[in-house]
Amino acid sequence: MLRLEQETPMTTYSGYCVKCREKREFEGEKVDLSNGRFAAQGACPTCGTAMVRMLGTDH
Ligand SMILES: [Zn+2]
């Protein structure tokens, strides 16, 4: 069965916000980097600063 991923659910990742200088959980989207790696991209829920968490290749 083939399922289209039209609505990608937001996943919660933990990362470090450089503006708050604290670890935060943020809702992120998995993005495909050009080098075959993946990263989670989102925004800090407190200040809105963009946050990126590297996921590596196996996720
Ligand atoms: Zn922040």
Side-chain angles (χ1 to χ4, degrees):
M1 284 206 290
L2 191 72
R3 220 174 72 177
L4 293 176
E5 293 181 7
Q6 290 274 344
E7 291 176 25
T8 308
M10 298 292 266
T11 313
T12 303
Y13 297 94
S14 54
Y16 183 80
C17 177
V18 291
K19 197 163 180 181
C20 299
R21 295 185 181 179
E22 276 181 42
K23 269 186 86 173
R24 292 253 185 268
E25 301 223 316
F26 65 98
E27 288 201 331
E29 260 186 328
K30 197 168 83 167
V31 291
D32 194 352
L33 304 178
S34 54
N35 56 5
R37 286 166 172 266
F38 290 95
Q41 210 171 52
C44 174
T46 303
C47 69
T49 295
M51 293 175 71
V52 176
R53 182 188 169 93
M54 301 303 290
L55 298 175
T57 52
D58 60 333
H59 202 80

